Structure formats: C-alpha cells, structure tokens
Amino acid sequence: MQIKETFSPEETFQFGQELGAQAKSGEVYTLVGDLGTGKTVLTQGIAAGLDIREQICSPTFTILQVYEEGRMPLYHFDVYRIGDIEEMEEIGYEDCFYGQGLTMIEWANLITEILPEHYTEIRIEKDLEKGFDYRRITVSEEGI
Ligand code: ADP
Ligand code: MG
C-alpha cells in the first residue's frame, strides 16, 4: 500500500503521471472517492504518463471514453450514472477489463460485482482540517 498526500491539483496530476508511466498493459485501476475529490484530475495525469496528449474529460454521460494514441489504450470509465450491470455488458466492458490497455474506473464501488479478481484500488479522500486542497491518495492492491 502506498499513501500520497497532495496539496494542489497539479500535485495530484503529477502523481498520476508517475502511476501512468509505471502502468502495465492489462491493469485495472479503480477510483473511489466523493464527487470533486480528484478522480478525473488523477486520470488526466495517468493519461499524460501514458503519453496521451488528447484532452481527458470525465465520461459521466457516455460511461466509457477510449484513448488509443498512448503507449497502450486507455479505457476511462465513469460509472456514476450506471443504472444496472447490464449497461456495462452493452458497453462491452469485458473487452476493456481483460484487454491489453489500462482500465480506469471512476466510482468503481458501484460495480463491485463485475470487478476482476485483481485490481489496484485508488482511494482519494479530503481532510478539511489539512486545507481545502489537501487530498490523501491511497493506492492498494486488491484481490486474492
Ligand atoms: P472527481 O472526478 O473526483 O469528481 P475532479 O477531478 O473532476 O473530481 O475535480 C477535482 C476538483 O478538486 C478540481 O476542481 C480540482 O481543481 C480540485 N482540487 C483541489 N485540490 C486538489 C488536489 N489536491 N488534487 C486534485 N484535485 C484538487
Ligand atoms: Mg470525475
């Protein structure tokens, strides 16, 4: 388990960039944290670490956004608005989760029943006592 404390969006982006540079093909990263904690900012950093230059927006309304231009595909899910798991099947999530790219899932806690056996959980938390822009980012390996 790794804990990173950041004090600005730039620092979170930078940490994401380091994670992206180390990411391996086929990995799944889940992003858990309240609205506005920085899940998308971190994903933008990870995309930069994969050498993706395209603008990364949160795919809240489309659920999935695919970026192909980096050193591996990035499958960016935001499942906040998912109604039921069948929607994930219609999107073809299995090709992403079990494919050759990096999968990032914002709000992954809403789809725990279809997460793969092994994944990396990234939890982002605020602590207002430490400042408005403070974030604690916990990265841990999950699975059996
Ligand atoms: P989420 O995807 O979790 O809903 P976003 O990444 O879209 O959140 O937004 C995070 C917001 O918090 C942005 O407006 C960003 O500027 C702000 N912010 C402030 N401090 C930080 C920090 N340390 N890390 C990440 N974002 C931060
Ligand atoms: Mg987001």
Side-chain angles (χ1 to χ4, degrees):
M1 192 174 87
Q2 184 187 3
I3 294 178
K4 172 77 180 176
E5 296 180 295
T6 71
F7 297 86
S8 68
E10 292 77 18
E11 246 188 285
T12 296
F13 182 95
Q14 172 68 37
F15 180 57
Q17 202 163 357
E18 288 163 24
L19 294 176
Q22 294 162 17
K24 293 183 205 74
S25 167
E27 286 188 305
V28 174
Y29 293 179
T30 64
L31 286 159
V32 179
D34 293 339
L35 205 63
T37 44
K39 299 181 294 300
T40 298
V41 170
L42 190 82
T43 303
Q44 287 165 340
I46 287 179
L50 293 176
D51 299 324
I52 295 167
R53 283 150 200 239
E54 232 176 297
Q55 167 108 24
I56 309 290
C57 306
S58 203
T60 307
F61 295 96
T62 53
I63 311 287
L64 170 64
Q65 202 64 248
V66 180
Y67 302 91
E68 303 266 15
E69 63 158 314
R71 68 181 170 83
M72 66 177 88
L74 173 64
Y75 304 116
H76 182 198
F77 288 85
D78 181 334
V79 301
Y80 187 64
R81 285 175 185 278
I82 206 87
D84 58 68
I85 291 301
E86 240 173 70
E87 270 181 68
M88 288 295 284
E89 273 150 27
E90 282 159 25
I91 292 165
Y93 78 92
E94 285 171 303
D95 292 340
C96 303
F97 287 19
Y98 303 101
Q100 299 303 307
L102 175 65
T103 297
M104 310 266 322
I105 316 164
E106 297 192 36
W107 294 100
N109 48 301
L110 300 177
I111 57 155
T112 48
E113 57 266 59
I114 59 164
L115 291 179
E117 243 180 88
H118 299 276
Y119 59 92
T120 300
E121 182 185 272
I122 304 176
R123 185 173 289 276
I124 311 182
E125 292 155 310
K126 292 188 187 183
D127 183 345
L128 290 177
E129 283 180 13
K130 297 192 177 179
F132 189 66
D133 289 346
Y134 170 86
R135 302 291 190 270
R136 184 172 50 248
I137 306 169
T138 308
V139 181
S140 48
E141 296 301 321
E142 298 291 327
I144 320 144

